[in-house]
Amino acid sequence: MPPTANAAALIRHTVLLRPAIITTAFSKTFPMTTSRAVSRSCTVIPKVTSRTMASSCSSSSKGGLEKLPSSPVRLLRTTSSVRLWRRPHLLDHRTVALVPTMGALHSGHLSLIRRAARENHHVVVSIYVNPAQFGISEDLDSYPQTWDSDVAQLVKLDRELADDGDNLGRISAVFAPSTKEMYPGGFPGQEVDSKGSFVTITPVGELLEGRTRPTFFRGVATVCMKLFNVVQPERVYFGQKDVQQTVVIKRLVRDFLMPIEVVVGRTERDEKDGLALSSRNVYLGERRRQQATVLYRALKAAEGEYKRGGRKREGILRAAEGVVEGVKREEEGKGVEERVRFEVDYISLADPDTMEEIEEVDPARGGILSGAIKMLPVEKAREGEDLGHSGGPAVRLIDNIILEPEGGKEE
Ligand code: AMP
């Protein structure tokens, strides 16, 4: 987990920070998930290959083709199988969309898939937890792995897409590779100074999230380059939830001359309190979940200042700071069995194209308000209290709001 900052650090970032930050990732351990799932739920498989694993546990393989259970959705595990699947669609001029994910699917992922199916003949959903985008002290080992639930959600969504005549396509395939498949030369490691074939997108990848998580965007850009090369999609779909990631991917596609359109889907939020959906929310537990909206509320306050005509960094970020300080004071007044503690990593006001910090919003360009907070573990659990996945470790949450240019659309 990345470093954090408290109120003082917030002020430091607010006042001193010129640079910016953000991230997200698809890495994690689909390979680990698979082997664990296999050892738990399958009987003896003498020589375990990905094909036999999936066939035995969670997919069907009629005619030698692996499919998700009771569905026409192909399950592809190797780059060669994706290429074989892809070729006829290229020759038939059918558009293929890719939605990269790390699994632990929720409505945010599903909204991207829905949009991809509306706009393309075929949708490929990748599920791969890419270790290269996790720092060595981050949550790779505990990252939620929910293969069965992911498959069930995809099968259900595919049926829904098939029944809805407004879609051009549906989910044609899930690409769930192993790390061996994705890193054929051997996995280069998670360290900052790991040697290997990496894609780096700087300076944007070094700002904000990249400052706190120095290997994150290198891992994201590298795995996306690989996924794009394998699937060769016409369009790729990413969530605004990870706004800096969308900027990095747009640069990747532009700078490496890739014939791909990057589509950004809006952030899906909890209907009741607006918390951005995230696979990591399962770590929170009920108590911390209640205050996890502090970042969103702070960003909304800053947005409110912009909407009232405020253009200066100081005034916009002061509004956010006021919310953070208010919640901190409120929590400090509670006992250890009630209170929630969190640290602000950063709250940023940045240029929409470069993610560099700005002193003033140019209303013709707008800006990006973004932030990261670390929800600390509870100090003392109440009897029977649900602390969240993996016993409620520290959870880093990110969020953002686009300050639309004057005349532009609202979020
Ligand atoms: P992840 O599995 O977390 O790597 O996310 C896969 C994709 O889903 C990324 O493009 C994310 O930005 C996107 N995503 C994650 N959460 C949300 C959300 N709440 N709303 C929309 N897209 C999201």
Side-chain angles (χ1 to χ4, degrees), residues 156-365:
K156 182 162 174 270
L157 175 58
D158 184 57
R159 277 194 210 117
E160 178 195 311
L161 294 171
D163 290 344
D164 176 354
D166 285 345
N167 296 308
L168 198 53
R170 50 196 284 194
I171 306 171
S172 296
V174 169
F175 178 41
S178 64
T179 289
K180 193 157 172 264
E181 196 67 24
M182 291 301 279
Y183 294 88
F187 180 63
Q190 294 166 258
E191 286 81 12
V192 174
D193 60 358
S194 292
K195 303 292 176 226
S197 303
F198 290 117
V199 179
T200 55
I201 308 289
T202 59
V204 64
E206 298 167 320
L207 306 174
L208 298 163
E209 287 299 294
R211 179 164 300 172
T212 304
R213 308 179 67 192
T215 58
F216 177 69
F217 286 116
R218 182 183 73 180
V220 168
T222 301
V223 82
C224 284
M225 173 71 100
K226 288 166 186 268
L227 290 169
F228 296 177
N229 283 337
V230 177
V231 177
Q232 307 211 341
E234 270 84 14
R235 296 192 186 92
V236 290
Y237 290 76
F238 288 86
Q240 190 211 305
K241 156 81 171 35
D242 302 290
V243 66
Q244 193 178 359
Q245 176 169 268
T246 67
V247 174
V248 166
I249 298 298
K250 283 178 184 167
R251 290 282 158 95
L252 170 83
V253 162
R254 183 196 69 184
D255 294 346
F256 290 95
L257 312 177
M258 305 179 92
I260 294 174
E261 183 187 342
V262 180
V263 181
V264 179
R266 63 170 214 171
T267 303
E268 294 295 317
R269 299 180 178 280
D270 183 292
E271 279 172 15
K272 285 192 226 78
D273 66 7
L275 182 69
L277 302 184
S278 163
S279 305
R280 289 189 164 98
N281 290 351
V282 297
Y283 290 122
L284 288 169
E286 204 180 316
R287 190 193 318 183
R288 294 188 300 168
R289 170 65 187 78
Q290 310 246 320
Q291 289 295 23
T293 51
V294 56
L295 175 59
Y296 183 52
R297 284 186 277 151
L299 296 175
K300 286 299 276 184
E303 179 195 42
E305 174 65 16
Y306 174 72
K307 284 185 168 169
R308 284 189 296 276
R311 296 290 178 261
K312 299 276 189 214
R313 172 185 187 82
E314 204 193 332
I316 291 173
L317 291 185
R318 200 186 313 117
E321 200 180 320
V323 171
V324 169
E325 292 309 317
V327 174
K328 280 210 156 151
R329 267 196 308 277
E330 196 184 306
E331 292 300 314
E332 276 160 12
K334 297 179 182 171
V336 286
E337 290 193 357
E338 306 297 329
R339 73 179 166 214
V340 168
R341 295 172 309 144
F342 62 90
E343 293 172 346
V344 175
D345 188 354
Y346 64 88
I347 293 187
S348 153
L349 174 62
D351 179 271
D353 294 330
T354 64
M355 301 290 303
E356 304 272 0
E357 297 299 303
I358 51 177
E359 285 305 317
E360 189 168 349
V361 182
D362 172 355
R365 292 174 55 72

